[in-house]
Amino acid sequence: MAASLTLTEAQAELVSSLAQEDIPAKLRCAICSKLAVNAFRLPCCEQAICDNCHSTLPASCPVCEHSPLSGGDCKPHKALRTTIKVFLRTEEKKRESNRPKDATPVTPAEPGPVSAGPPVVLETRGPAPPADGTAPAEEQQPTAEPVSEAAPTVADGQVSKETAGQEETEGMGKTADQSVRNRMALAVSMSGLLTAVIGTASPRWSRRRRGSGCRN
């Protein structure tokens, strides 16, 4: 029986960090598609599986569904184990070459002991009040003076009286004008009436004069 590969801590970390596309298809496990470490060969389909899948192999083949199947029927895949050893060594060398050579770990400086002195208390003082004892200008609040409605003055009453007198005078003037107009209209109507009476009486008077002349 071929000797199993015992992985170092660095190799185990390398195997767990490999992605599926980083592993060649011939080196993958036919069940879990990971690197077939300590590979075994399935007797039914000649596929390679890893040590972990070999320990949990079911009664039927997960690849070709052949049954019955047991772990004792599988044989170590010697050629594949040798190839995987070489693959792991090559990957380790690649990662070592990709690491920066000048990078050295920086150790943080240890802080020295700090002597604890007495605590410094900072006093905060407000603005000092003035010597005369009055409050600062910012603290003095303006007092609002009450606004009282202005009482009616004598001048307002006098103006109202004058306005009333003017209105009364204007009313009396209008009444006088209307009275004069009425008198003039009455005089015109009387004059017209008198003219009409005179015009009516004139023909009669002329006729009477003509009759008296004929009689003489």
Side-chain angles (χ1 to χ4, degrees):
M1 184 176 181
S4 61
L5 174 62
T6 303
L7 298 177
T8 62
E9 184 178 355
Q11 289 176 344
E13 183 180 356
L14 175 61
V15 171
S16 61
S17 64
L18 289 174
Q20 184 176 354
E21 56 270 12
D22 297 335
I23 304 172
K26 295 181 179 180
L27 305 182
R28 298 176 189 172
C29 173
I31 299 176
C32 65
S33 298
K34 294 181 180 180
L35 187 65
V37 180
N38 296 326
F40 286 88
R41 189 194 302 270
L42 291 171
C44 53
C45 55
E46 299 292 329
Q47 295 293 328
I49 59 175
C50 64
D51 191 15
N52 294 331
C53 294
H54 175 261
S55 59
T56 59
L57 197 64
S60 60
C61 178
V63 181
C64 64
E65 298 181 358
H66 175 78
S67 61
L69 180 65
S70 63
D73 299 334
C74 300
K75 295 180 180 181
H77 202 313
K78 298 179 181 180
L80 188 57
R81 290 186 181 188
T82 305
T83 306
I84 289 175
K85 287 180 182 180
V86 176
F87 173 75
L88 289 176
R89 290 174 185 173
T90 306
E91 288 296 322
E92 284 179 347
K93 291 180 180 179
K94 286 181 181 180
R95 296 204 174 185
E96 287 179 359
S97 61
N98 292 333
R99 291 176 184 175
K101 297 180 180 179
D102 298 334
T104 56
V106 179
T107 57
E110 295 181 359
V114 180
S115 60
V120 179
V121 180
L122 298 177
E123 297 182 359
T124 57
R125 297 181 180 179
D132 55 357
T134 58
E138 296 179 357
E139 297 181 358
Q140 293 180 356
Q141 297 180 355
T143 57
E145 296 182 358
V147 180
S148 59
E149 296 181 357
T153 59
V154 178
D156 295 340
Q158 188 173 1
V159 171
S160 62
K161 288 181 180 180
E162 292 178 357
T163 305
Q166 291 178 1
E167 292 178 356
E168 185 177 357
T169 304
E170 291 177 359
M172 292 176 66
K174 291 180 180 180
T175 305
D177 293 343
Q178 187 66 29
S179 178
V180 171
R181 290 176 183 176
N182 292 338
R183 289 179 183 179
M184 291 178 65
L186 181 60
V188 170
S189 62
M190 290 295 293
S191 176
L193 181 60
L194 182 59
T195 302
V197 170
I198 293 173
T200 306
S202 294
R204 293 179 182 179
W205 177 257
S206 61
R207 288 175 186 177
R208 289 180 181 179
R209 291 183 65 181
R210 288 176 184 177
S212 60
C214 293
R215 291 175 184 178
N216 293 326

